Amino acid sequence: MSARTLNRAESRDLDRRATEEYGVPSLVLMENAGRGVADRLESLGIAGRVVIACGKGNNAGDGFVIARHLDLRGHEVRVLVWAEPDELTGDAGVNFRILRKAGVAVTCFGSRFEADRVQEALAGAAWIVDALLGTGARGDPRPPLDAVIDALVASAVPIVAVDVPSGLDCDTGVASAHTIRAAHTCTFVAHKPGFLVPGADRYTGEIHVLDIGAPRRLVEEALAAATGH
């Protein structure tokens, strides 16, 4: 039997209902998501520095949580952010400010791609975490993220994608010319329809479905409503 899936709209609606109908704060959902990825990464084995590449949306917020938990557990972490600090708002902004106060190494590139600095950050890394673009992203990644994605892939460092590999459309499975090729994808609540498209596994690698603490009743309702995709 095929894996049950939630597309981008259904995933967004589940998050909304968890917060509005069940009272689970969105910060708690982000915390659970990030901690779950940190747990899975540890289970895969970490023997060296973890570089976490972040954009500016909620996917980046997950990346900030992952960084905090890995740092808490004694792992060397470096966070690369393609946004200015004042662009990081909402839950992502909250977690960015916590990370800064925690003293984790953070480099903000803004809208710039600086190849030499990126290469320096990736040299000797054990893992890369892709927290650049989430399920809401459509079409080709815009500069500078297109160049960032290409640099991460070219590094040959194994990549763990958060929710969806950046550049891969989570609904259609269509890959941009600039798409992360992950060794593992930690997706939340359920598979995404695009993951089941032939050839998508070249980008997702092994898929791990993680919960975010949304109530089981809500998850089952959402999956039942989505049946037929």
PDB file of all heavy atoms in Angstrom, residues 98-111:
ATOM      1  N   ILE A  98      17.331  33.285  20.104  1.00  0.00           N
ATOM      2  CA  ILE A  98      17.790  32.346  21.138  1.00  0.00           C
ATOM      3  C   ILE A  98      19.151  31.788  20.764  1.00  0.00           C
ATOM      4  O   ILE A  98      20.068  31.699  21.597  1.00  0.00           O
ATOM      5  CB  ILE A  98      16.774  31.200  21.315  1.00  0.00           C
ATOM      6  CG1 ILE A  98      15.448  31.723  21.875  1.00  0.00           C
ATOM      7  CG2 ILE A  98      17.343  30.124  22.249  1.00  0.00           C
ATOM      8  CD1 ILE A  98      14.324  30.693  21.874  1.00  0.00           C
ATOM      9  N   LEU A  99      19.298  31.420  19.496  1.00  0.00           N
ATOM     10  CA  LEU A  99      20.550  30.822  19.032  1.00  0.00           C
ATOM     11  C   LEU A  99      21.706  31.806  19.186  1.00  0.00           C
ATOM     12  O   LEU A  99      22.799  31.428  19.626  1.00  0.00           O
ATOM     13  CB  LEU A  99      20.389  30.417  17.562  1.00  0.00           C
ATOM     14  CG  LEU A  99      21.391  29.414  17.000  1.00  0.00           C
ATOM     15  CD1 LEU A  99      21.287  28.078  17.728  1.00  0.00           C
ATOM     16  CD2 LEU A  99      21.152  29.229  15.508  1.00  0.00           C
ATOM     17  N   ARG A 100      21.458  33.053  18.847  1.00  0.00           N
ATOM     18  CA  ARG A 100      22.494  34.078  18.989  1.00  0.00           C
ATOM     19  C   ARG A 100      22.919  34.231  20.456  1.00  0.00           C
ATOM     20  O   ARG A 100      24.108  34.301  20.772  1.00  0.00           O
ATOM     21  CB  ARG A 100      21.965  35.411  18.452  1.00  0.00           C
ATOM     22  CG  ARG A 100      22.176  35.615  16.945  1.00  0.00           C
ATOM     23  CD  ARG A 100      23.621  36.053  16.706  1.00  0.00           C
ATOM     24  NE  ARG A 100      23.961  36.260  15.307  1.00  0.00           N
ATOM     25  CZ  ARG A 100      23.760  37.389  14.641  1.00  0.00           C
ATOM     26  NH1 ARG A 100      23.156  38.408  15.208  1.00  0.00           N
ATOM     27  NH2 ARG A 100      24.156  37.499  13.392  1.00  0.00           N
ATOM     28  N   LYS A 101      21.933  34.279  21.345  1.00  0.00           N
ATOM     29  CA  LYS A 101      22.243  34.431  22.775  1.00  0.00           C
ATOM     30  C   LYS A 101      22.962  33.206  23.322  1.00  0.00           C
ATOM     31  O   LYS A 101      23.742  33.310  24.281  1.00  0.00           O
ATOM     32  CB  LYS A 101      20.957  34.686  23.561  1.00  0.00           C
ATOM     33  CG  LYS A 101      20.337  36.052  23.288  1.00  0.00           C
ATOM     34  CD  LYS A 101      19.049  36.241  24.071  1.00  0.00           C
ATOM     35  CE  LYS A 101      18.433  37.606  23.782  1.00  0.00           C
ATOM     36  NZ  LYS A 101      17.148  37.807  24.490  1.00  0.00           N
ATOM     37  N   ALA A 102      22.715  32.047  22.708  1.00  0.00           N
ATOM     38  CA  ALA A 102      23.343  30.802  23.161  1.00  0.00           C
ATOM     39  C   ALA A 102      24.802  30.697  22.732  1.00  0.00           C
ATOM     40  O   ALA A 102      25.516  29.789  23.166  1.00  0.00           O
ATOM     41  CB  ALA A 102      22.564  29.602  22.633  1.00  0.00           C
ATOM     42  N   GLY A 103      25.234  31.619  21.873  1.00  0.00           N
ATOM     43  CA  GLY A 103      26.637  31.634  21.469  1.00  0.00           C
ATOM     44  C   GLY A 103      26.999  30.651  20.375  1.00  0.00           C
ATOM     45  O   GLY A 103      28.187  30.393  20.138  1.00  0.00           O
ATOM     46  N   VAL A 104      26.009  30.102  19.672  1.00  0.00           N
ATOM     47  CA  VAL A 104      26.296  29.203  18.558  1.00  0.00           C
ATOM     48  C   VAL A 104      26.855  30.025  17.396  1.00  0.00           C
ATOM     49  O   VAL A 104      26.422  31.160  17.151  1.00  0.00           O
ATOM     50  CB  VAL A 104      25.014  28.450  18.130  1.00  0.00           C
ATOM     51  CG1 VAL A 104      25.271  27.591  16.898  1.00  0.00           C
ATOM     52  CG2 VAL A 104      24.502  27.584  19.284  1.00  0.00           C
ATOM     53  N   ALA A 105      27.815  29.464  16.676  1.00  0.00           N
ATOM     54  CA  ALA A 105      28.443  30.172  15.557  1.00  0.00           C
ATOM     55  C   ALA A 105      27.439  30.371  14.422  1.00  0.00           C
ATOM     56  O   ALA A 105      26.940  29.401  13.840  1.00  0.00           O
ATOM     57  CB  ALA A 105      29.653  29.390  15.049  1.00  0.00           C
ATOM     58  N   VAL A 106      27.134  31.620  14.127  1.00  0.00           N
ATOM     59  CA  VAL A 106      26.169  31.972  13.088  1.00  0.00           C
ATOM     60  C   VAL A 106      26.811  32.979  12.132  1.00  0.00           C
ATOM     61  O   VAL A 106      27.383  33.980  12.571  1.00  0.00           O
ATOM     62  CB  VAL A 106      24.884  32.584  13.681  1.00  0.00           C
ATOM     63  CG1 VAL A 106      23.917  32.997  12.579  1.00  0.00           C
ATOM     64  CG2 VAL A 106      24.211  31.622  14.663  1.00  0.00           C
ATOM     65  N   THR A 107      26.686  32.707  10.834  1.00  0.00           N
ATOM     66  CA  THR A 107      27.142  33.643   9.817  1.00  0.00           C
ATOM     67  C   THR A 107      25.960  34.029   8.947  1.00  0.00           C
ATOM     68  O   THR A 107      25.321  33.155   8.354  1.00  0.00           O
ATOM     69  CB  THR A 107      28.239  33.014   8.925  1.00  0.00           C
ATOM     70  OG1 THR A 107      29.332  32.598   9.742  1.00  0.00           O
ATOM     71  CG2 THR A 107      28.735  34.020   7.893  1.00  0.00           C
ATOM     72  N   CYS A 108      25.659  35.322   8.883  1.00  0.00           N
ATOM     73  CA  CYS A 108      24.559  35.814   8.051  1.00  0.00           C
ATOM     74  C   CYS A 108      25.121  36.355   6.737  1.00  0.00           C
ATOM     75  O   CYS A 108      25.909  37.298   6.741  1.00  0.00           O
ATOM     76  CB  CYS A 108      23.775  36.896   8.780  1.00  0.00           C
ATOM     77  SG  CYS A 108      22.801  36.289  10.180  1.00  0.00           S
ATOM     78  N   PHE A 109      24.694  35.777   5.636  1.00  0.00           N
ATOM     79  CA  PHE A 109      25.161  36.203   4.315  1.00  0.00           C
ATOM     80  C   PHE A 109      24.200  37.193   3.661  1.00  0.00           C
ATOM     81  O   PHE A 109      24.531  37.751   2.620  1.00  0.00           O
ATOM     82  CB  PHE A 109      25.313  34.983   3.401  1.00  0.00           C
ATOM     83  CG  PHE A 109      26.472  34.107   3.743  1.00  0.00           C
ATOM     84  CD1 PHE A 109      26.319  33.042   4.617  1.00  0.00           C
ATOM     85  CD2 PHE A 109      27.723  34.326   3.199  1.00  0.00           C
ATOM     86  CE1 PHE A 109      27.391  32.206   4.930  1.00  0.00           C
ATOM     87  CE2 PHE A 109      28.804  33.511   3.504  1.00  0.00           C
ATOM     88  CZ  PHE A 109      28.634  32.449   4.389  1.00  0.00           C
ATOM     89  N   GLY A 110      23.030  37.381   4.239  1.00  0.00           N
ATOM     90  CA  GLY A 110      22.052  38.253   3.612  1.00  0.00           C
ATOM     91  C   GLY A 110      21.644  37.701   2.257  1.00  0.00           C
ATOM     92  O   GLY A 110      21.274  36.540   2.132  1.00  0.00           O
ATOM     93  N   SER A 111      21.744  38.515   1.221  1.00  0.00           N
ATOM     94  CA  SER A 111      21.385  38.080  -0.133  1.00  0.00           C
ATOM     95  C   SER A 111      22.611  37.770  -0.971  1.00  0.00           C
ATOM     96  O   SER A 111      22.533  37.671  -2.194  1.00  0.00           O
ATOM     97  CB  SER A 111      20.559  39.170  -0.830  1.00  0.00           C
ATOM     98  OG  SER A 111      21.321  40.378  -0.925  1.00  0.00           O
TER      99      SER A 111
END
